[in-house]
Amino acid sequence: MPTVVMKFGGTSVADAEHCLAAARRIVQAKLDGNRVVATVSARGDTTDKLYEMAYEIDENPSRRELDMLVSTGEQISVALMAIAINKLGHKAISLIGSQMGIFTDDSHGKARIADIQPGRIEEELNAGNVVIGAGFQGVTVRAEITTLGRGGSDTTAVALAAAIKADLCEIYTDVDGVYSADPRIVPNARKLDRIYHDEMLELASMGAGVLHPRAVELAKKFKLPLCVRSSFNNTPGTVITEESDEMEAVIVRGAALNSNEAKVTVIGVPDQPGIAARILGAVASRNVNLDMIIQNVGRDGKADVTFTVMKSDLPDALDACNMAAKQLGAAGVTSDDSIAKISVVGVGMRSHSGVAEKMFRALADKEINIQMISTSEIKISCVVGEDRAADAMRAVHDAFELDKPENERSYSGITHIPGAFPEEH
Ligand code: ADP
Ligand code: ASP
Ligand code: MG
């Protein structure tokens, strides 16, 4: 009997009506002859509300207690979903992370799944139950509750699917699939039928909130069929797939915006070997992930080191930099949290030049200043002022004609990778 994992996001279970609609889909999958595990997120904006409750009391609450608090959102959802399925006349059992054997490391708020012991899930499936599992949460070996980072229920779903060797993992959400850009920001964004794992991973890591990056990483690692689709209609959605010659290597598949980062600059550090390692090492030792990093060579043997971090990590990063700056005799530390990073992604970039130039031109034409630039094999990112972020996204989306089907774009939207096609030999 095939096994499917179906994940429903916050809007898809926001109230009784939505919860029952999702329950009907789950029941249908069961009636179609599948063993079904459904993962659900907290309802609507419950998670935001829970965080707010903590921040009303303390602006820097204990991360352990935050996890204890925000993990309750999913506990509410799983119980309600099991009640809804029971109401429809079917057997279901709700389980939280610890009951599902989802073990994580102890990085509260951004824990990584280390192991899943799916014995209980298998037991319940064998007993004919639909298993409703809480997304977003896990437990350490010391039985401490952890969460996987915002949007982490996607990762729970994919990790469970891998652990129980599911045949398919479906992510049901409030959009019809993965688009060329966030349709809330770029109204003429185009729905993609398929996208490669690496492209989806870059887009998700660069801020496309439709999927949690770690979920894509796991789907790729375990070669798990993953699909994003709407919980409100029956359109087919987007398949996240392995790279193959069947699909053309498009230069730019999509664009993403990330407004969750802040920029930190350590000014006037001595321009000597080992300085970047000292500063960035001090930040990393606080368990803060660095994203873009630039070192500008200034005058008189002094340099500036600039990097970006998640806004939520800014206090820790500043603290570490201020201490390092003092020790190194740097002139000072500044920060700016009104920045946004826009990125374009496509595997065709590997074999095509001129993409960066086109992106910079599109931004220049709108008089949008670029503050930082970074590139990878299949991605180009620019940091711009937060106030121009939406304009920047639309300008770049238009420049690459991402609203059009790939073969109708006026610039060469498709590249042929040399040697990939027999006639080129
Ligand atoms: P859920 O609660 O179902 O997990 P999310 O809000 O986390 O839903 O993700 C869905 C949202 O992701 C969409 O409503 C959309 O605004 C946003 N989004 C960002 N980038 C994209 C993209 N490239 N394609 C589709 N949706 C995107
Ligand atoms: N409820 C969590 C959040 O809001 C997890 C999720 O929705 O995936 O981030
Ligand atoms: Mg989500």
Side-chain angles (χ1 to χ4, degrees):
M1 202 187 249
T3 304
V4 294
V5 174
M6 306 167 79
K7 179 256 168 177
F8 291 86
T11 7
S12 310
V13 295
D15 52 29
E17 206 178 302
H18 284 91
C19 190
L20 279 159
R24 278 186 214 102
R25 271 187 193 270
I26 295 169
V27 165
Q28 191 54 52
K30 174 101 201 288
L31 294 174
D32 289 344
N34 297 293
R35 305 194 319 153
V36 184
V37 174
T39 308
V40 287
S41 299
R43 298 180 124 195
D45 58 1
T46 302
T47 310
D48 292 336
K49 290 261 162 59
L50 291 167
Y51 277 113
E52 273 164 30
M53 283 158 93
Y55 292 124
E56 262 172 34
I57 296 173
D58 181 355
E59 62 188 24
N60 197 12
S62 143
R63 292 190 184 213
R64 177 200 184 267
E65 300 307 337
L66 271 182
D67 276 356
M68 191 67 125
L69 176 68
V70 299
S71 60
T72 60
E74 272 70 14
Q75 184 165 347
I76 294 171
S77 288
V78 283
L80 290 170
M81 185 58 81
I83 291 169
I85 292 175
N86 292 159
K87 171 80 181 160
L88 298 176
H90 292 263
K91 282 171 59 178
I93 183 160
S94 62
L95 299 175
I96 57 170
S98 53
Q99 293 171 309
M100 289 188 286
I102 300 183
F103 290 96
T104 72
D105 62 18
D106 59 3
S107 301
H108 285 289
K110 48 185 168 188
R112 282 170 73 94
I113 297 176
D115 185 27
I116 297 188
Q117 293 174 11
R120 176 76 190 273
I121 298 177
E122 297 285 0
E123 219 174 88
E124 299 296 347
L125 288 173
N126 292 341
N129 276 311
V130 170
V131 173
I132 313 294
F136 184 48
Q137 56 176 266
V139 68
T140 69
V141 284
R142 293 184 54 234
E144 294 282 88
I145 293 174
T146 53
T147 62
L148 309 179
R150 298 306 306 265
S153 297
D154 299 332
T155 296
T156 308
V158 177
L160 283 176
I164 61 173
K165 301 193 171 45
D167 300 276
L168 176 65
C169 180
E170 293 179 309
I171 307 288
Y172 286 88
T173 183
D174 59 3
V175 269
D176 291 353
V178 178
Y179 279 67
S180 52
D182 186 343
R184 288 189 216 198
I185 300 165
V186 183
N188 62 346
R190 184 181 175 76
K191 196 189 97 187
L192 308 172
D193 295 329
R194 302 220 282 165
I195 181 169
Y196 291 141
H197 284 125
D198 285 341
E199 293 172 327
M200 191 65 240
L201 184 55
E202 286 281 16
L203 283 176
S205 309
M206 293 302 119
V210 64
L211 274 179
H212 195 237
R214 182 89 179 117
V216 186
E217 227 170 68
L218 290 174
K220 179 180 175 180
K221 181 170 170 193
F222 292 100
K223 296 190 189 312
L224 191 88
L226 179 64
C227 161
V228 176
R229 51 188 301 196
S230 169
S231 59
F232 308 135
N233 61 48
N234 277 321
T235 49
T238 304
V239 175
I240 326 295
T241 176
E242 279 180 85
E243 265 185 62
S244 75
D245 290 351
E246 266 167 53
M247 220 166 119
E248 311 264 22
V250 172
I251 295 172
V252 176
R253 182 86 61 195
L257 168 66
N258 183 348
S259 304
N260 292 330
E261 288 189 12
K263 188 171 80 171
V264 178
T265 304
V266 185
I267 309 163
V269 292
D271 192 12
Q272 291 162 3
I275 293 293
R278 286 278 294 281
I279 294 171
L280 304 179
V283 177
S285 69
R286 308 271 179 122
N287 202 11
V288 170
N289 291 327
L290 299 157
D291 183 25
M292 294 163 111
I293 302 166
I294 292 181
Q295 180 169 340
N296 298 331
V297 179
R299 262 176 266 165
D300 307 324
K302 302 277 185 190
D304 295 344
V305 176
T306 302
F307 59 87
T308 62
V309 293
M310 293 280 286
K311 276 182 185 160
S312 54
D313 285 331
L314 184 59
D316 280 348
L318 281 176
D319 199 41
C321 283
N322 280 321
M323 283 170 70
K326 238 185 228 156
Q327 287 165 2
L328 298 170
V333 180
T334 61
S335 68
D336 180 359
D337 65 2
S338 55
I339 59 162
K341 183 175 66 178
I342 59 165
S343 309
V344 295
V345 171
V347 294
M349 274 182 216
R350 287 185 194 133
S351 53
H352 197 92
S353 57
V355 183
E357 191 192 338
K358 199 174 183 70
M359 183 170 183
F360 303 159
R361 172 61 43 212
L363 297 175
D365 287 348
K366 296 276 179 201
E367 302 198 334
I368 297 169
N369 187 40
I370 301 173
Q371 302 179 19
M372 295 172 88
I373 297 165
S374 82
T375 62
S376 81
E377 210 190 6
I378 64 164
K379 177 208 74 189
I380 300 169
S381 302
C382 295
V383 169
V384 300
E386 199 172 22
D387 56 334
R388 301 301 312 275
D391 287 345
M393 277 293 279
R394 291 189 277 262
V396 167
H397 196 271
D398 282 349
F400 289 103
E401 298 168 74
L402 300 184
D403 56 322
K404 294 187 187 153
E406 283 134 15
N407 54 3
E408 285 175 24
R409 294 177 190 163
S410 63
Y411 77 105
S412 150
I414 293 170
T415 69
H416 292 280
I417 297 170
F421 299 93
E423 63 270 25
E424 287 172 2
H425 286 300

